[in-house]
Amino acid sequence: MPRYALLILPAFNRVYGESAVRLTRSELAVFGTATRSPISAIEETVIGGVPYVTFEAELGEGDVALLSNLSSVYAVFGVEGPLLRPLEMRPLDRLSSDLLTIQKYAGKTNEHFTKLLLNVTLLASGLPFDGRLSVFDPMCGRGTTLNQALMYGYDAYGMDVDAKDFEAYTVFLRRWLKDKRLKHTAEVVPVRRERALVGKRFNASFALSKEAQKAGDVQHVAVVNADTLRAREFFKPRTFDLIVTDAPYGVQHGSRSGGGGLSRSPLELIARAVPGWAEVLKPGGALGISWNTYGGGRDELGEILVKHGLVVREYPDFEHRVDQAIVRDIMVAAKPAP
């Protein structure tokens, strides 16, 4: 059986880097569900003093292109005796990587982890990586998930209750589109219901070139500054292929409680929000959530998702420590097709 080696990106932060190899092994196992032949014998191997993730499979050209999108991969090699033969990487990324890396702020989710979460959610849906998909982050903060979706060529939609995060993202994306000289439109508009202001919405669209724009190859972004519990007020049922979100880590974030304060319980918030999220998700789509396990257990979260008609996928170990108060894990569930 042919053997391959993945070289891990060297740019992880220290804490995430400590889990990088194990997370890569888990992510690769999920990718194996979409390759032409099963992936087996996944393990960490030190070659020339450098750690690699090695595995066995019968990979075709399309499989190598698929694996080029692993969140942590730097290079893919075929193992030939004591030698490594580089294979051509063909990741989907169609925009400059600084879309993900320019923004620096406290609490920003590691962009490699965001890509991992998007990847495994997409694989759970069975939808093609190179399709024209719509991705919704119902607690989008300053847009890391939205930006990763744009990198893949998808349309990106978000909600967030924090006006400062909404403003920061709209300012950033407008500036970025202008600096890259991409043909685009962008505006913030009020959203009213029965003449009452219920939120603000940022709408943007862009194309990589004038030729792409004329051909209809245009990507869309829409972000609403409103409570995630009101998702159905702003988006129609069966709108999104994927829902991908990084839940609050037990701090004030995400949604207003009945008393007007911000919810501090991630699972309480998710339990209240999932009915609306499930409605705006297309049948055949998938929902991926990362959360702090100190704020609730895996079984409890699974029960919430199953209660609303979603089917939880049993994926490998993605649990990892972020800091002393946060141990992050991933849960992915699919919405059955009719």
Side-chain angles (χ1 to χ4, degrees):
M1 180 72 72
R3 190 162 172 253
Y4 300 88
L6 302 176
L7 181 61
I8 305 301
L9 277 162
F12 291 102
N13 66 42
R14 181 188 61 80
V15 176
Y16 192 79
E18 292 173 355
S19 303
V21 171
R22 179 173 57 80
L23 292 173
T24 298
R25 292 172 60 180
S26 296
E27 185 183 8
L28 179 60
V30 179
F31 266 82
T33 64
T35 52
R36 183 184 60 178
S37 69
I39 289 176
S40 61
I42 302 173
E43 58 188 6
E44 180 181 357
T45 305
V46 177
I47 303 174
V50 177
Y52 291 77
V53 172
T54 57
F55 63 96
E56 295 179 356
E58 293 277 0
L59 297 183
E61 183 178 342
D63 296 326
V64 175
L66 177 67
L67 295 180
S68 298
N69 296 297
L70 279 158
S71 64
S72 57
V73 69
Y74 187 64
V76 183
F77 300 91
V79 180
E80 299 178 356
L83 303 178
L84 297 179
R85 177 172 57 87
L87 304 179
E88 183 177 359
M89 303 255 304
R90 289 191 287 124
L92 283 179
D93 294 348
R94 56 188 266 158
L95 301 170
S96 171
S97 63
D98 61 5
L99 177 61
L100 294 167
T101 59
I102 285 177
Q103 289 180 294
K104 305 291 183 183
Y105 52 89
K108 180 184 178 183
T109 304
N110 182 288
E111 55 263 22
H112 300 292
F113 174 77
T114 298
K115 186 175 182 179
L116 185 155
L117 179 59
L118 176 58
N119 282 346
V120 297
T121 306
L122 176 53
L123 289 164
S125 73
L127 295 167
F129 264 70
D130 58 356
R132 188 55 178 269
L133 306 179
S134 57
V135 178
F136 177 46
D137 183 348
M139 296 180 287
C140 65
R142 297 193 185 187
T144 305
T145 300
L146 307 184
N147 292 341
Q148 179 57 59
L150 296 176
M151 288 289 290
Y152 276 177
Y154 306 156
D155 292 332
Y157 301 84
M159 290 187 75
D160 204 276
V161 71
D162 190 313
K164 291 182 179 179
D165 283 348
F166 174 84
E167 178 69 17
Y169 184 65
T170 61
V171 169
F172 164 74
L173 191 61
R174 277 174 156 165
R175 180 81 255 174
W176 188 87
L177 291 169
K178 184 176 180 180
D179 288 347
K180 297 301 178 183
R181 298 183 178 179
L182 296 178
K183 187 70 175 178
H184 70 278
T185 62
E187 62 175 354
V188 175
V189 297
V191 181
R192 300 183 184 276
R193 298 284 186 272
E194 298 178 354
R195 298 184 179 180
L197 181 67
V198 296
K200 294 187 293 184
R201 182 175 179 129
F202 171 65
N203 296 313
S205 63
F206 66 92
L208 300 185
S209 64
K210 291 182 179 179
E211 293 73 22
Q213 186 180 42
K214 290 179 181 178
D217 184 8
V218 178
Q219 288 180 251
H220 302 280
V221 186
V223 182
V224 176
N225 177 207
D227 194 319
T228 189
L229 301 183
R230 302 167 63 192
R232 276 290 289 108
E233 296 181 33
F234 296 92
F235 299 104
K236 297 179 180 179
R238 303 185 176 195
T239 295
F240 305 115
D241 297 297
L242 304 174
I243 297 178
V244 180
T245 197
D246 194 17
Y249 296 149
V251 296
Q252 292 187 6
H253 180 73
S255 173
R256 300 286 174 184
S257 65
L262 285 172
S263 172
R264 296 184 65 89
S265 169
L267 290 198
E268 176 187 337
L269 168 59
I270 290 169
R272 296 172 63 199
V274 164
W277 298 351
E279 282 194 57
V280 299
L281 182 63
K282 292 180 182 178
L287 165 70
I289 300 175
S290 67
W291 86 105
N292 181 10
T293 59
Y294 287 147
R298 189 171 189 84
D299 290 344
E300 187 179 355
L301 177 56
E303 289 175 4
I304 292 170
L305 300 181
V306 170
K307 179 180 178 181
H308 297 287
L310 303 175
V311 179
V312 174
R313 300 297 193 204
E314 296 301 327
Y315 276 171
D317 177 24
F318 286 111
E319 186 176 279
H320 61 284
R321 183 172 297 280
V322 176
D323 61 29
Q324 290 185 345
I326 301 171
V327 174
R328 184 165 54 192
D329 202 355
I330 287 175
M331 182 168 286
V332 177
K335 184 174 182 178

